[in-house]
Amino acid sequence: MGNQQRPWMFAEDRFGRRLRKEREDRGMTQVDVARVLQEEHDLKLHPTAIAKMEQRSADKPRVIRLSEARAIADMFGLTLDEMTSTADEEIQALAREFAQLGKEADALRSTTREAMERLESLASSLAVPEDELTPAIRQARQQIASSLNALEGEHLTRVQMGQEFIRDLRLKVMQASGLDAPDSSVEGLRGLQLSAHAAHWMRVLYRLYPGISRAELAQAIRADKLDVNTRLAAMLEPPDDTGTNWALAAVFAHGLWGHGAAEELDDRVARMMQENPHRSIKFTRHAALTEMALEVQQEMENKWDAVGEAGRGLDLIWRNPEELKRWIEETKAEDPGMWNNTSGAEGELP
């Protein structure tokens, strides 16, 4: 037969590639795989046989027996269909998984909102000085404060990891689609997208809040702390299911308070600690951030039409470098002083 293969042999090739992927993902060697198969599945295979399954020599590929395939799939917690699925099938399965994750996230979001609303209704009871609380309420308040702090940290971590994952995945998709060369031009497009994003939010800021001086804005943006804006953004629900973004939180924070979210949070924590010194700093920071989020949410909903108007058409040219350059230049030309007086700040906004 030479190196010609029958269609059924392509499934063995896919099985071999999947075997190697699952093994490496788990940090296992071929010796490890052989040992586990013998100890837990009563299947004796030499490590060289595992290697031949993975490499699939074109001249004389090793036949993979059904009993071997079943044992290996079971060891990884997969089915034979999953071990031999095509790329299209894997992508479809992944799409179903993401759809299910979306439903679970929606359910969790709803449950969290209900719990927070109930907690808010009890806020007056929780604000009583420590020495006036019964032991049971005191313990419950400490538990709630600890849980809120853990929830905030976990949420922030997931948001940051998600943003990095989406960025990397987007670059890989662009590379695979041939939109740019795989070396510097992909990052070049990414840089244009970031600049367009900055131009959009600067345009929003100046259209919505023309009274803010450029010098004050430049100083405030440089002082912004990404983590505070990210926490604030994670608590917002933009209309039209657009997704949250820390730049969105930063823009509305400047519009509402004339300075960034980080400075506003520090001011509120100081004031709230003076009003109720018995609260922990962590609990107070969460309460202050929640208070700020409610104000930003209302401001955002009232002025959301202007956000869409400022970015009209941007989504249609998002992956076109030349059109993006033109859009950025036109945006900057609307008010050159807006950019000249914010030197060093615009790159920090996305």
Side-chain angles (χ1 to χ4, degrees):
M1 295 292 297
N3 58 6
Q4 294 182 348
Q5 295 184 323
R6 301 179 186 275
W8 61 267
M9 297 184 73
F10 296 144
E12 292 189 342
D13 292 338
R14 294 195 295 271
F15 185 94
R17 289 194 295 269
R18 187 63 180 267
L19 165 57
R20 179 175 180 175
K21 178 183 183 302
E22 296 297 329
R23 174 179 64 79
E24 291 179 345
D25 285 350
R26 291 164 174 76
M28 299 175 68
T29 65
Q30 292 161 344
V31 174
D32 294 331
V33 171
R35 176 180 53 78
V36 173
L37 286 173
Q38 183 170 2
E39 293 178 354
E40 300 182 9
H41 299 272
D42 197 26
L43 177 64
K44 189 173 183 179
L45 279 176
H46 196 274
T48 55
I50 305 296
K52 290 179 179 179
M53 288 182 183
E54 293 179 354
Q55 294 167 3
R56 301 291 299 156
S57 170
D59 294 330
K60 192 176 181 182
R62 184 193 184 281
V63 174
I64 302 175
R65 299 178 180 84
L66 183 59
S67 59
E68 296 171 343
R70 283 178 173 170
I72 292 171
D74 186 60
M75 178 182 66
F76 293 134
L78 300 171
T79 65
L80 283 176
D81 286 342
E82 290 172 326
M83 289 291 293
T84 58
S85 62
T86 63
D88 287 347
E89 291 169 342
E90 290 182 18
I91 291 175
Q92 291 172 0
L94 187 60
R96 290 192 294 270
E97 290 180 22
F98 267 90
Q100 182 60 35
L101 283 174
K103 293 179 181 178
E104 293 174 0
D106 288 341
L108 179 59
R109 186 176 182 178
S110 176
T111 303
T112 303
R113 185 186 300 112
E114 292 173 2
M116 294 302 292
E117 289 174 353
R118 289 167 54 199
L119 179 60
E120 187 176 357
S121 68
L122 297 172
S124 58
S125 300
L126 294 173
V128 176
E130 191 83 6
D131 56 0
E132 297 181 18
L133 295 176
T134 65
I137 295 181
R138 187 184 302 118
Q139 181 180 4
R141 185 168 74 174
Q142 292 174 348
Q143 183 178 358
I144 289 173
S146 176
S147 298
L148 286 173
N149 180 60
L151 181 63
E152 179 186 27
E154 178 67 16
H155 198 121
L156 176 63
T157 299
R158 290 187 179 188
V159 169
Q160 292 174 330
M161 290 176 62
Q163 289 174 335
E164 185 66 23
F165 172 78
I166 290 171
R167 178 183 180 278
D168 290 344
L169 185 59
R170 181 185 294 146
L171 291 177
K172 289 178 181 178
V173 170
M174 287 192 293
Q175 291 177 8
S177 302
L179 295 173
D180 282 291
D183 48 11
S184 59
S185 53
V186 170
E187 287 297 335
L189 176 59
R190 177 61 179 168
L192 283 172
Q193 290 171 341
L194 290 174
S195 296
H197 204 157
H200 171 231
W201 285 111
M202 291 291 283
R203 175 188 277 186
V204 170
L205 187 68
Y206 276 91
R207 287 186 179 182
L208 290 181
Y209 311 105
I212 299 178
S213 74
R214 296 181 178 86
E216 290 177 356
L217 174 64
Q219 183 178 1
I221 290 180
R222 283 194 292 270
D224 268 344
K225 295 181 180 178
L226 179 59
D227 57 341
V228 175
N229 285 291
T230 303
R231 287 190 181 97
L232 184 60
M235 301 173 76
L236 302 179
E237 298 180 21
D240 305 323
D241 194 29
T242 58
T244 56
N245 186 290
W246 85 264
L248 178 152
V251 165
F252 285 105
H254 289 301
L256 277 172
W257 305 304
H259 52 248
E263 185 175 343
E264 179 68 17
L265 180 60
D266 290 341
D267 291 346
R268 295 200 185 202
V269 168
R271 172 178 55 79
M272 295 173 75
M273 288 298 293
Q274 288 180 347
E275 295 172 354
N276 194 337
H278 298 284
R279 281 183 174 179
S280 69
I281 294 180
K282 291 181 179 179
F283 186 90
T284 302
R285 283 178 64 84
H286 182 84
L289 199 63
T290 301
E291 184 179 85
M292 290 166 57
L294 292 174
E295 295 176 19
V296 173
Q297 181 72 36
Q298 186 62 53
E299 181 78 356
M300 180 176 61
E301 292 176 358
N302 291 340
K303 298 186 175 180
W304 192 253
D305 289 345
V307 174
E309 180 62 30
R312 188 175 302 281
L314 187 55
D315 56 333
L316 300 177
I317 60 172
W318 192 244
R319 293 193 287 185
N320 187 317
E322 295 304 319
E323 291 296 327
L324 276 178
K325 289 179 183 177
R326 186 177 297 110
W327 192 91
I328 294 169
E329 291 171 357
E330 291 174 355
T331 302
K332 291 184 176 182
E334 291 182 6
D335 189 344
M338 175 174 69
W339 303 92
N340 296 337
N341 291 316
T342 54
S343 177
E346 63 180 276
E348 299 174 22
L349 192 56

